[in-house]
Amino acid sequence: MDASRRTFMKGISAISIVSTAGSELLHSAAPAAESSQKARAPEIRWPKRIGSPVLESIRPVIENSGNVFTHNEKIVDVAGWMAYEDLAMPVYPVPSGVKTTDPNDVADLILVANSIDTAFTDFKTHVKFQVDYEGQHSSDSDAMFACLNRAMNDGIPMLDGKFLAKVSRRELEKIFSGNIEMPMLDEKLEVLHQVGSVLAEKYDGRFHNFIKSCPPLLYDSGNGLVERMAKEFPRFNDVSPYDGHEIKFYKLAQLGLWFAYATYPKNGPVQLHDLVKMTTFPDYIVPVALRLLGINSYSPELEHAIDSHQLIPRNSAQEVEIRAHSVYATALLREEINKIRPPDLQVIIPQVNERLWTHYHTTTWPHHLTRTIMY
Amino acid sequence: MEPRRPGRRQFLQGLGSSMMLAAAGGESLRPSAASPPAGSPTLRWPKPIGSPVLDSLRPVIEKSRDVRTRVDKIVEVAGWMAYEELPMPDYHLPLGVGENNPDEALDFIMVSDSIDTAFTDFSTHVKFQVDYAGKHWSDSEALFACMKRAMDQGTPILDGHYLAKVTRADMARIFAGNIEMPMLDEKTEVWRQVGAVLVERYDGRFHNFIRSCPAKLYDSGNGIIERLAKEFSRFNDVSQYDGHEIKFYKLPQLGIWFVYSSLHPLGKFKLDDIGAMTAFADYIVPVALRLMGIISYSPALEHAINSYQMIPRDSTQEIEIRAHCLYATALLREEINKIRSPEMKVIVPQIDARLWTHYHTTFWPHHLTKTIMY
């Protein structure tokens, strides 16, 4: 989970992105008439297409869910007041403590950090990973960033795939020394080896070279940034099987690109001409927001499992449904919000995601627990 | 008639999340339950928090013609809002005012608070704006910027001796911006009045007034809010409704809330009854409540607001809008606290801040009233 957005948010400013949000109009508005044969869910409302393979892939889950439900009337209800909020396009400051001012370095740092931006709470003791550095106490994602800064200030080439490909467990232990051993350190080690070796092999070790080799598009018939991240780095291939279908989520691929983009929205190393295709980032927190607002509801069994902090296994129907309904409900919520807002204030889904996430990421309400490197 | 203090947007960047157990818990020491009056047996009334403002609203809530509060919606909204952080704000004065000088910070807040109204020209709808220190400021923030600019130039605007004799021409100079400061005559009059009282009794300074008060908002007539309203008629924000005096005290409460939020975290200001603060009855909080379905308007009032008609000061409509704003936020706070754990209890201004920050820039129309009270 990425608690670092808390820090990022401090420098938030409000630009709106008319041209991006408006560009979906270029896509065909009418959904394919494919749902007629679905006997089980004849009245399912489907959001207008935004050109996202993620959103398109979740349909079998929404149509067959037995554990999670989305209530369209609540979406309309919530949009009725949320539409009048600011819902600004965020501009993120460079993560705190970062010394370099080179946008390529910052983008690389964001993308390296993003690749291991999961699981900062010990699964047994429930203690959070924390660190003190340069007079600052930080926890979760922020603590990981502090460790990366510390390592770079000590001359360790954390942005270089050639180093990451061969970093040892002992070195990583030292890099992430904090109050406890970094949770899932072995998995993070494995991710860095994998990401590092791909970068070393094809991109002279640096993420920004990978970015430069792609078109400024999330999706482009298999060659877009998200598609290539998922294809070339297995660690970003965040998909799940459901009733024989492949359901795409691409949480960290989308989130990393979003952060890198929104840190330098104008002329930065990551430019995205199809930002409107970005979905929500299906994590632990957005489902909580949707559940509390009454937009999503759970079967009694799932509700109980979450409330009693039971692990929801990765790729279980429950886990897939929780995440798919996050993607689905936020797409509809965004659609309802845009019906109300004037043309120059239209929003894209990450703005809605941001609104939900910032309000609930510190909540006392329990979120689902899944052991995974995907979010 | 400006939505109060757009500056809070900037102030809020320093948001901290200290909680205030002691203050929020203090109400339990007070007697609870007031017997419901005949005629409205089902009216739900919030538990007393020690606020004469809240206590004074009852005749309005019972007899309202144009505004209604829906308790079921309050319960529903509390069901999700309770799980938000709802932090205690930790305000920072802009432009380095009052840094390491709590007396100056207090004086600046209260002098600015006294004219913190009406920044939009009533005919042209242009907002008051100014460029200062390399930045562009509008509304309340432009007011602060002008005051800081005057201080830089050595104009003693925090001193009642100066304020008591300030002229319209002085004011026009201090507040030179893109347009003449709206309601400049009224603002001149307010500063002269406030200045005269400060000179006569407090050696010209608000911090001396505060020092002469107990550390309480309300204290049988001698609390800070009560004395602000009594000694400075500009702060006597009350209205008559069916023969009752309804208290709102928007600017005195807001000014002291800013003082508290700025100086209490530094250990420089103390209040024993911060839990007695209500919401700050303005233009924006009613919009938030209306959009969430917590309050609703008669078709006539809804139409008047949506077509930007003036709602006259002290009209029943204006009083009802403000009274329901305070009533509904008190109930919302109560419902939220039912859900939250003991160490996370909130006071009404935390709810006010939550609603205000989300809607102060909204494009939904708010009611329009020409007044110096908010």
Side-chain angles (χ1 to χ4, degrees):
Chain A
M1 288 191 304
D2 36 5
S4 61
R5 262 188 280 179
R6 183 195 238 316
T7 318
F8 285 175
M9 284 296 295
K10 283 179 186 160
I12 200 161
S13 72
I15 54 167
S16 66
I17 49 151
V18 185
S19 56
T20 316
S23 65
E24 78 187 278
L25 298 172
L26 301 174
H27 295 278
S28 82
E34 65 200 299
S35 59
S36 50
Q37 75 276 21
K38 298 283 180 186
R40 282 199 58 188
E43 290 174 47
I44 189 169
R45 172 178 167 192
W46 201 252
K48 275 186 225 152
R49 295 169 80 167
I50 57 173
S52 164
V54 170
L55 188 56
E56 280 153 30
S57 79
I58 61 174
R59 189 151 188 151
V61 187
I62 305 305
E63 287 176 350
N64 295 296
S65 288
N67 301 286
V68 184
F69 311 94
T70 292
H71 303 284
N72 190 54
E73 75 284 1
K74 281 305 238 181
I75 291 174
V76 174
D77 194 49
V78 168
W81 50 262
M82 197 178 278
Y84 297 95
E85 296 185 5
D86 198 19
L87 303 177
M89 242 334 245
V91 176
Y92 300 113
V94 171
S96 69
V98 173
K99 303 285 193 293
T100 176
T101 53
D102 179 343
N104 282 333
D105 287 349
V106 173
D108 287 349
L109 172 63
I110 289 171
L111 291 166
V112 168
N114 176 63
S115 72
I116 52 170
D117 196 357
T118 60
F120 298 108
T121 301
D122 187 280
F123 281 82
K124 292 202 186 91
T125 64
H126 306 292
V127 173
K128 284 180 173 192
F129 178 68
Q130 292 162 69
V131 74
D132 288 289
Y133 181 59
E134 291 186 331
Q136 287 266 10
H137 182 81
S138 50
S139 60
D140 298 306
S141 254
D142 287 345
M144 174 195 57
F145 265 102
C147 292
L148 294 177
N149 281 331
R150 184 174 61 189
M152 289 192 294
N153 292 339
D154 293 345
I156 302 174
M158 291 305 297
L159 308 184
D160 187 347
K162 294 174 209 107
F163 170 76
L164 299 177
K166 299 199 169 129
V167 66
S168 69
R169 191 183 200 282
R170 183 159 303 178
E171 283 172 304
L172 209 56
E173 272 171 33
K174 214 173 131 207
I175 288 165
F176 292 120
S177 69
N179 63 326
I180 53 170
E181 179 176 287
M182 172 66 91
M184 293 178 74
L185 188 66
D186 291 317
E187 288 84 348
K188 289 183 171 81
L189 179 71
E190 173 58 30
V191 163
L192 290 176
H193 283 171
Q194 181 204 96
V195 167
S197 57
V198 175
L199 290 176
E201 200 178 304
K202 301 192 200 166
Y203 304 108
D204 197 22
R206 302 290 295 253
F207 258 120
H208 68 264
N209 293 328
F210 163 76
I211 301 287
K212 279 195 195 122
S213 77
C214 297
L217 295 166
L218 298 169
Y219 301 100
D220 187 24
S221 316
N223 297 313
L225 282 156
V226 170
E227 291 161 313
R228 283 188 44 194
M229 281 175 85
K231 200 157 44 184
E232 299 185 29
F233 304 87
R235 163 302 145 275
F236 290 119
N237 192 30
D238 175 16
V239 300
S240 294
Y242 186 91
D243 280 355
H245 302 274
E246 182 184 84
I247 313 302
K248 302 179 171 81
F249 293 111
Y250 298 155
K251 190 257 184 177
L252 284 177
Q254 293 195 81
L255 184 63
L257 292 168
W258 168 249
F259 274 145
Y261 164 80
T263 304
Y264 301 105
K266 285 178 194 162
N267 309 319
V270 176
Q271 289 299 301
L272 297 170
H273 295 167
D274 58 352
L275 207 48
V276 70
K277 296 181 181 176
M278 199 71 97
T279 68
T280 200
F281 313 116
D283 65 352
Y284 300 98
I285 299 303
V286 172
V288 169
L290 296 169
R291 162 68 189 80
L292 285 169
L293 292 168
I295 289 175
N296 283 347
S297 65
Y298 300 141
S299 66
E301 301 75 43
L302 178 54
E303 181 88 5
H304 176 257
I306 293 172
D307 290 349
S308 55
H309 306 280
Q310 293 168 35
L311 278 177
I312 311 291
R314 170 73 182 160
N315 289 340
S316 64
Q318 291 185 331
E319 193 237 8
V320 176
E321 291 179 16
I322 290 170
R323 300 185 82 204
H325 279 269
S326 279
V327 173
Y328 172 67
T330 49
L332 287 179
L333 181 56
R334 177 250 182 186
E335 213 168 270
E336 286 298 318
I337 285 173
N338 279 347
K339 280 186 192 169
I340 295 170
R341 290 166 76 98
D344 55 326
L345 291 174
Q346 299 285 295
V347 297
I348 59 172
I349 297 169
Q351 288 167 276
V352 176
N353 178 90
E354 191 75 25
R355 165 63 178 77
L356 299 174
W357 194 89
T358 51
H359 282 63
Y360 289 107
H361 77 283
T362 58
T363 189
T364 55
W365 188 271
H367 60 72
H368 77 280
L369 291 170
T370 296
R371 194 176 164 106
T372 176
I373 58 160
M374 288 303 175
Y375 58 100
Chain B
M1 58 147 227
E2 189 49 34
R4 72 168 180 273
R5 206 164 284 253
R8 263 192 275 181
R9 181 194 249 300
Q10 175 167 331
F11 285 179
L12 278 165
Q13 284 177 2
L15 206 79
S17 57
S18 52
M19 288 289 157
M20 25 176 349
L21 300 194
E27 79 188 280
S28 56
L29 301 173
R30 295 175 196 285
S32 69
S35 51
S40 56
T42 57
L43 179 69
R44 175 170 160 193
W45 200 253
K47 278 187 220 146
I49 57 173
S51 165
V53 169
L54 191 57
D55 294 344
S56 79
L57 306 176
R58 192 149 186 149
V60 187
I61 307 303
E62 285 174 354
K63 296 271 157 51
S64 287
R65 296 95 153 150
D66 291 291
V67 186
R68 231 171 264 281
T69 293
R70 286 185 50 188
V71 174
D72 58 322
K73 280 304 244 183
I74 291 175
V75 173
E76 189 189 309
V77 168
W80 50 262
M81 197 179 280
Y83 296 96
E84 296 185 4
E85 190 176 358
L86 305 175
M88 272 295 281
D90 177 10
Y91 296 120
H92 298 289
L93 279 175
L95 304 159
V97 173
E99 243 165 49
N100 306 315
N101 188 345
D103 285 347
E104 181 183 275
L106 194 156
D107 291 345
F108 188 91
I109 292 169
M110 294 309 295
V111 170
S112 61
D113 181 62
S114 72
I115 55 168
D116 195 354
T117 60
F119 298 107
T120 303
D121 186 280
F122 282 85
S123 335
T124 64
H125 306 292
V126 174
K127 283 183 173 192
F128 178 68
Q129 293 162 68
V130 71
D131 287 298
Y132 169 72
K135 283 185 72 175
H136 187 76
W137 312 82
S138 63
D139 300 305
S140 272
E141 290 196 325
L143 165 74
F144 302 147
C146 289
M147 286 177 56
K148 179 62 167 54
R149 184 176 63 188
M151 288 163 68
D152 294 346
Q153 292 162 355
T155 312
I157 54 162
L158 304 187
D159 187 343
H161 296 90
Y162 176 81
L163 298 177
K165 299 200 168 121
V166 74
T167 65
R168 192 184 197 286
D170 295 331
M171 292 289 276
R173 201 164 47 243
I174 293 168
F175 295 110
N178 63 325
I179 53 168
E180 180 176 283
M181 170 67 93
M183 293 180 77
L184 190 64
D185 291 322
E186 288 85 347
K187 289 183 170 86
T188 306
E189 176 55 32
V190 163
W191 267 11
R192 292 175 66 94
Q193 179 208 97
V194 165
V197 175
L198 290 175
V199 168
E200 197 181 307
R201 303 186 202 163
Y202 304 109
D203 198 20
R205 295 286 184 158
F206 261 117
H207 65 261
N208 293 326
F209 163 78
I210 297 288
R211 281 204 193 112
S212 77
C213 296
K216 295 184 106 176
L217 300 171
Y218 301 102
D219 190 18
S220 316
N222 297 314
I224 297 173
I225 302 298
E226 291 161 311
R227 283 186 45 197
L228 278 168
K230 198 156 48 184
E231 300 185 31
F232 303 85
S233 56
R234 154 321 135 270
F235 286 124
N236 192 30
D237 175 14
V238 300
S239 294
Q240 300 298 317
Y241 186 93
D242 285 352
H244 302 275
E245 182 182 87
I246 314 302
K247 301 179 171 77
F248 294 108
Y249 296 159
K250 190 257 183 176
L251 284 176
Q253 290 197 87
L254 184 65
I256 297 303
W257 171 246
F258 278 134
V259 170
Y260 180 86
S261 306
S262 305
L263 299 182
H264 181 76
L266 308 174
K268 304 293 186 192
F269 188 73
K270 190 171 149 301
L271 278 176
D272 297 336
D273 60 349
I274 190 70
M277 274 286 179
T278 66
F280 311 115
D282 68 348
Y283 300 98
I284 298 302
V285 177
V287 168
L289 297 168
R290 160 68 188 79
L291 285 170
M292 291 181 168
I294 289 175
I295 63 177
S296 63
Y297 299 140
S298 65
L301 178 56
E302 182 87 4
H303 177 258
I305 292 172
N306 290 350
S307 55
Y308 303 97
Q309 293 167 36
M310 294 295 281
I311 311 291
R313 171 73 182 160
D314 288 332
S315 63
T316 59
Q317 292 185 329
E318 192 236 9
I319 296 168
E320 290 176 15
I321 291 169
R322 301 184 82 202
H324 279 269
C325 171
L326 302 190
Y327 169 70
T329 47
L331 286 181
L332 180 56
R333 177 248 181 188
E334 217 168 85
E335 285 300 314
I336 283 174
N337 278 348
K338 278 187 193 167
I339 296 170
R340 287 167 80 99
S341 58
E343 75 278 12
M344 304 273 287
K345 299 292 190 205
V346 296
I347 60 173
V348 182
Q350 286 167 273
I351 308 295
D352 177 279
R354 163 64 178 77
L355 299 174
W356 193 90
T357 50
H358 284 62
Y359 289 107
H360 76 285
T361 57
T362 189
F363 55 96
W364 186 270
H366 61 70
H367 77 281
L368 291 170
T369 297
K370 187 158 177 148
T371 174
I372 59 162
M373 287 305 174
Y374 58 101

